[in-house]
């Protein structure tokens, strides 16, 4: 895929290549396996993979699994699957935990050079000494320990002689630095927790801000792209790189996170929606996860094109979720077969059509792409139309069917409504119409005009189907942690209707444009031989303009 988009990070890389600062580029995508990937991660994936690719470089997938409490193998597998589905192939798949030995050795080396010490003050006490933005911190008494004592204590930390929180390893940097992150940050903490990868081998774990630069350097990463909230950490990143005994010199570059309207985008919050059953799982089609978008019917190309178009900058912004929908329509409009589905059926009886008659009418598969050819659809005495396409007592400018009105049935004939039947609840159950054989579609009939065109499905051959229509999961006023108060209780509407007979053999994830209703995809989980289930991906039109 050609990527013609430029942005400030690409310009930095261009300069670095020209100046010879690096002779190849290596990037990484570093998710923490504590949840499923979401559309925000897609922005980072597209950026990292396509940037490296453009300069002939490579991208690793690296699981940042330094926090054993929240991590899980299920998440690791889902992340691999999602990246592959998007169409990227990592140069290597690594785990931060692969480097725990190396990280430990680097910490020992810092201790030996007087650059790190074991702290026995509690977290609370350490916080008190840290100072504030306007007030320098105070040095802890632990800072003056000898190298020998630090080496001994650190080894005993590793050997499990202390409980969680009893000791930490801190960098010896500068307690009066204006950057709080440099006031002797913690490098290692004790946590007697089993790790999904290393089991019970370790009871001390490196902090993210120590581990991350080391992981980058070990892998020979040249440009370490992260989101803006790490900007204040960059001096610490640089300190670790400068003091580690590793050759590579990666540089950290920050860019703005993707924020989307009507969307929460944090694994923690998405996990809450799953755990508290607001949705049916991480791949619920309403979720902004890659797996949710996939199940809903979004294509990899629509997601990638969206990520390219939103651009990469240093300024936080909020992107309209309709922009993502726009790229789905763009991607499918020439490829998705057109077909007719009646979502909320009402039966029409064509009283002057032969009792046992059935004919097959030609219909184009995609009028915007003639190469897709034609299909045949049945027509007979009984057809279904949408309930909303008939009104007993229509307002002005209602051009669909009503008593004594005539409309066109798409691909078929004009029909004229003469009568209708209601049940005891006043619900209309059947319409009685006649058709005019002279008005057959394609016959060139010009005798008279009608204003409305209705889609239909012939009754005897109709295939029953369930349709799932989605609305935003989150109302647009939601902000911060109160998002659960803004969950839309009507984000899912289920309809039962019919599709054309040639839809009988559809497969999971097949995508269609249903006349007037929008783009739909066959649900891969719940569609069975007896029951087709379609997810609406997006509606046909939107007021959104690029
Ligand atoms: P979350 O809050 O969703 O857990 P995170 O940043 O903690 O987000 P990570 O697993 O650490 O999630 O993210 C992996 C990579 O994806 C990081 O480089 C991170 O900066 C990037 N990323 C995460 N969310 C976004 C986003 N909304 N926009 C762009 N990049 C993102
Ligand atoms: Mg993170
Ligand atoms: Mg996180």
């Amino acid at each position: 895929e050609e990527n013609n988009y430029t942005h400030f990070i690409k310009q930095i890389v261009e300069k670095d290549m020209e100046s010879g600062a690096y002779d190849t580029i290596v990037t990484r995508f570093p998710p923490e396996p504590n949840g499923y990937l979401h559309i925000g991660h897609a922005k980072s994936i597209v950026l990292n993979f396509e940037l490296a690719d453009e300069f002939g470089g490579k991208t690793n997938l690296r699981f940042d699994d330094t926090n054993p409490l929240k991590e899980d193998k299920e998440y690791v597998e889902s992340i691999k699957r999602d990246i592959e589905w998007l169409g990227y192939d990592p140069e290597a798949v690594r785990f931060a935990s692969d480097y725990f030995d190396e990280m430990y050795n680097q910490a020992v080396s810092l201790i030996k050079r007087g650059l790190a010490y074991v702290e026995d003050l509690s977290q609370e006490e350490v916080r008190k000494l840290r100072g504030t933005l306007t007030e320098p911190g105070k040095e802890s008494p632990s800072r003056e320990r000898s190298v020998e004592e630090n080496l001994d204590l650190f080894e005993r930390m590793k050997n499990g002689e202390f409980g969680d929180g009893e000791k930490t390893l801190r960098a010896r940097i500068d307690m009066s630095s204006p950057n709080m992150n440099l006031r002797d940050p913690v490098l290692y903490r004790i946590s007697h927790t089993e790790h999904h990868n290393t089991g019970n081998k370790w009871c001390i774990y490196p902090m993210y801000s120590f581990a991350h630069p080391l992981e980058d350097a070990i892998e020979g990463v040249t440009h370490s792209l992260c989101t803006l909230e790490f900007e204040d950490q960059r001096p610490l990143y640089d300190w670790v790189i400068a003091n580690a005994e590793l050759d590579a010199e990666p540089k950290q570059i920050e860019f703005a996170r993707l924020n989307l309207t009507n969307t929460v985008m944090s694994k923690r919050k998405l996990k809450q929606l799953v755990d508290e059953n607001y949705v049916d799982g991480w791949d619920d089609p309403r979720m902004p996860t890659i797996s949710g978008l996939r199940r809903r019917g979004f294509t990899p190309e629509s997601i990638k094109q969206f990520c390219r178009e939103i651009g990469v900058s240093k300024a936080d912004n909020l992107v309209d979720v309709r922009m993502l929908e726009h790229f789905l329509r763009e991607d499918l409009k020439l490829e998705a077969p057109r077909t007719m589905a009646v979502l909320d059926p009402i039966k029409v009886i064509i009283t002057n059509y032969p009792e046992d008659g059935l004919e097959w009418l030609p219909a184009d598969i995609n009028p915007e792409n003639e190469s897709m050819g034609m299909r045949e659809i049945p027509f007979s005495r009984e057809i279904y139309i949408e309930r909303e396409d008939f009104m007993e007592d229509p307002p002005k400018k209602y051009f669909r069917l009503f008593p004594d009105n005539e409309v066109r049935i798409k691909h078929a004939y004009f029909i004229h409504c003469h009568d209708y039947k209601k049940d005891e609840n006043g619900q209309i159950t059947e319409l009685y119409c006649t058709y005019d054989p002279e008005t057959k579609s394609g016959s060139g009939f010009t005798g008279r005009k009608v204003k409305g065109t209705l889609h239909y499905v012939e009754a005897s051959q109709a295939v029953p189907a369930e349709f799932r229509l989605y609305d935003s999961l989150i109302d647009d006023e939601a902000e911060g942690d109160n998002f659960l108060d803004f969950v839309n209780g009507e984000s899912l509407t289920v309809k039962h209707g019919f599709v054309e007979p040639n839809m009988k053999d559809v497969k999971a994830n097949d995508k269609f444009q249903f006349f007037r209703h929008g783009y739909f995809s066959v649900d891969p989980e719940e569609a069975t031989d007896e029951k087709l289930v379609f997810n609406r991906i997006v509606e046909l039109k939107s007021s959104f303009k690029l």
Side-chain angles (χ1 to χ4, degrees):
E1 189 59 37
E2 194 67 33
N3 185 343
N4 296 315
Y5 302 90
T6 194
H7 49 72
F8 80 99
I9 299 180
K10 199 180 277 189
Q11 287 157 3
I12 293 173
V13 174
E14 258 158 18
K15 277 213 189 97
D16 285 345
M17 299 297 280
E18 272 163 32
S19 73
Y22 300 97
D23 42 48
T24 180
I25 142 160
V26 180
T27 61
R28 85 289 172 265
F29 173 65
E32 188 182 353
N34 61 346
Y36 280 59
L37 297 182
H38 49 63
I39 179 80
H41 292 110
K43 174 176 179 175
S44 173
I45 292 169
V46 171
L47 174 61
N48 278 293
F49 278 91
E50 299 199 350
L51 184 70
D53 190 55
E54 194 175 335
F55 291 91
K58 298 180 165 131
T59 305
N60 288 349
L61 166 59
R62 185 208 307 143
F63 291 99
D64 235 317
D65 58 350
T66 53
N67 182 359
L69 264 184
K70 294 193 244 151
E71 296 157 1
D72 203 301
K73 282 211 165 76
E74 177 197 348
Y75 300 139
V76 169
E77 292 314 312
S78 77
I79 290 169
K80 286 186 194 164
R81 200 161 55 230
D82 288 348
I83 292 173
E84 189 189 336
W85 178 75
L86 282 171
Y88 300 109
D89 184 18
E91 173 70 12
V93 178
R94 296 277 151 76
F95 290 83
S97 54
D98 295 340
Y99 312 134
F100 280 169
D101 285 297
E102 175 73 46
M103 291 172 188
Y104 180 80
N105 293 338
Q106 291 291 339
V108 168
S109 158
L110 289 178
I111 296 172
K112 285 182 179 159
R113 286 175 286 146
L115 294 170
Y117 60 94
V118 173
E119 177 63 85
D120 26 42
L121 295 182
S122 69
Q123 213 184 350
E124 188 49 37
E125 290 163 317
V126 166
R127 192 179 306 126
K128 279 195 199 129
L129 291 178
R130 182 153 281 159
T132 63
L133 281 176
T134 51
E135 204 184 307
K138 294 194 182 71
E139 295 184 356
S140 153
S142 315
R143 215 176 195 260
E144 296 318 314
R145 270 193 227 285
S146 69
V147 167
E148 288 66 36
E149 198 185 344
N150 278 315
L151 285 173
D152 175 58
L153 284 172
F154 189 50
E155 188 172 354
R156 288 165 58 193
M157 280 169 66
K158 178 182 98 159
N159 292 341
E161 289 187 30
F162 307 109
D164 291 4
E166 273 182 48
K167 300 216 179 317
T168 55
L169 182 74
R170 296 176 72 183
R172 182 187 271 113
I173 308 180
D174 180 3
M175 287 306 294
S176 58
S177 170
N179 184 324
M180 301 290 281
N181 295 301
L182 295 181
R183 293 187 188 175
D184 292 10
V186 174
L187 305 179
Y188 262 93
R189 74 211 140 96
I190 299 173
S191 174
H192 291 266
T193 310
E194 188 170 307
H195 187 281
H196 75 101
N197 213 13
T198 57
N200 291 307
K201 176 172 177 194
W202 297 92
C203 63
I204 57 172
Y205 291 97
M207 301 301 288
Y208 179 86
S209 50
F210 179 56
H212 202 84
L214 292 177
E215 296 155 23
D216 286 343
I218 293 167
E219 293 179 10
V221 166
T222 55
H223 298 80
S224 177
L225 315 183
C226 64
T227 38
L228 280 180
E229 70 272 19
F230 291 99
E231 198 163 22
D232 285 351
Q233 300 249 14
R234 186 170 1 118
L236 176 55
Y237 184 99
D238 291 342
W239 183 92
V240 174
I241 293 297
N243 291 292
E245 298 189 298
L246 291 163
D247 294 332
E249 298 222 352
K251 68 161 98 168
Q252 174 180 310
I253 306 170
E254 310 86 18
F255 65 96
R257 297 179 90 82
L258 167 66
N259 300 301
L260 270 187
T261 55
N262 296 88
T263 308
V264 291
M265 201 124 58
S266 124
K267 280 176 277 175
R268 181 178 59 81
K269 291 181 184 171
L270 295 173
K271 187 167 190 309
Q272 235 177 311
L273 289 169
V274 174
D275 290 346
E276 298 176 29
N277 296 315
Y278 287 93
V279 293
D280 282 339
W282 286 96
D283 70 344
D284 186 300
R286 292 166 290 183
M287 290 282 271
T289 50
I290 305 293
S291 53
L293 293 168
R294 172 170 60 233
R295 183 163 168 199
R296 171 92 164 242
F298 280 88
T299 58
E301 193 49 34
S302 63
I303 294 172
K304 291 196 280 191
Q305 198 56 18
F306 167 77
C307 290
R308 293 173 192 131
E309 291 270 357
I310 54 176
V312 179
S313 82
K314 282 260 187 200
D316 266 318
N317 63 351
L318 181 64
V319 175
D320 194 322
V321 68
R322 289 175 303 172
M323 183 166 165
L324 177 61
E325 299 174 352
H326 165 85
F327 287 108
L328 187 276
R329 290 189 199 97
E330 285 295 299
D331 193 29
L332 288 188
K333 96 180 152 200
L334 296 182
E335 284 178 24
R338 308 289 172 88
T339 179
M340 296 192 287
V342 174
L343 274 49
D344 183 12
I346 180 168
K347 192 175 261 185
V348 178
I349 303 185
I350 319 267
T351 53
N352 63 338
Y353 198 88
E355 284 279 348
D356 298 319
L358 180 83
E359 63 185 307
W360 291 83
L361 303 168
D364 35 26
I365 293 176
N366 187 338
E368 291 185 67
N369 180 359
E370 281 180 15
S371 73
M372 292 179 78
M374 305 292 283
R375 69 187 193 278
E376 300 240 290
I377 50 176
F379 187 82
S380 78
R381 193 179 157 87
E382 296 194 0
I383 65 174
Y384 294 111
I385 64 166
E386 295 293 345
R387 181 166 292 281
E388 63 168 28
D389 283 347
F390 175 80
M391 281 183 93
E392 248 180 306
D393 193 10
K396 276 214 172 74
K397 301 210 171 152
Y398 184 85
F399 297 128
R400 303 179 200 172
L401 203 54
F402 51 87
D404 250 342
N405 187 41
E406 189 173 42
V407 294
R408 179 195 310 275
I409 296 295
K410 178 86 175 157
H411 300 304
Y413 301 94
F414 290 7
I415 62 168
H416 187 114
C417 179
H418 296 283
D419 200 2
Y420 54 95
K421 185 163 100 190
K422 281 188 195 178
D423 66 12
E424 58 273 23
N425 305 317
Q427 166 107 318
I428 293 171
T429 53
E430 279 178 357
L431 306 180
Y432 303 101
C433 300
T434 53
Y435 84 118
D436 178 354
E438 272 190 55
T439 60
K440 187 169 184 171
S441 177
S443 70
F445 176 79
T446 53
R448 57 187 188 279
K449 288 195 173 5
V450 288
K451 287 205 163 140
T453 298
L454 310 187
H455 63 280
Y456 81 103
V457 173
E458 192 277 327
S460 72
Q461 307 279 313
V463 178
E466 176 172 316
F467 306 95
R468 299 182 179 179
L469 312 181
Y470 301 103
D471 195 359
S472 306
L473 184 57
I474 306 286
D475 293 339
D476 52 7
E477 305 88 32
E479 241 176 64
D481 278 338
N482 68 350
F483 70 100
L484 288 177
D485 298 338
F486 293 90
V487 172
N488 174 7
E490 273 144 39
S491 55
L492 170 63
T493 307
V494 179
K495 302 263 190 200
H496 292 98
F498 299 100
V499 292
E500 295 177 17
N502 51 37
M503 299 287 281
K504 269 203 309 285
D505 299 320
V506 296
K507 295 187 301 299
N509 302 312
D510 281 353
K511 299 178 205 327
F512 300 91
Q513 190 194 108
F514 289 171
F515 188 72
R516 273 184 35 210
H517 289 300
Y519 289 99
F520 285 71
S521 184
V522 178
D523 189 275
E525 302 299 325
E526 287 173 49
T528 62
D529 288 347
E530 287 79 50
K531 183 173 97 170
L532 292 176
V533 177
F534 292 94
N535 294 313
R536 176 150 68 191
I537 321 170
V538 297
E539 291 183 58
L540 276 188
K541 288 214 178 70
S542 116
S543 50
F544 182 75
K545 291 274 178 308
L546 203 61

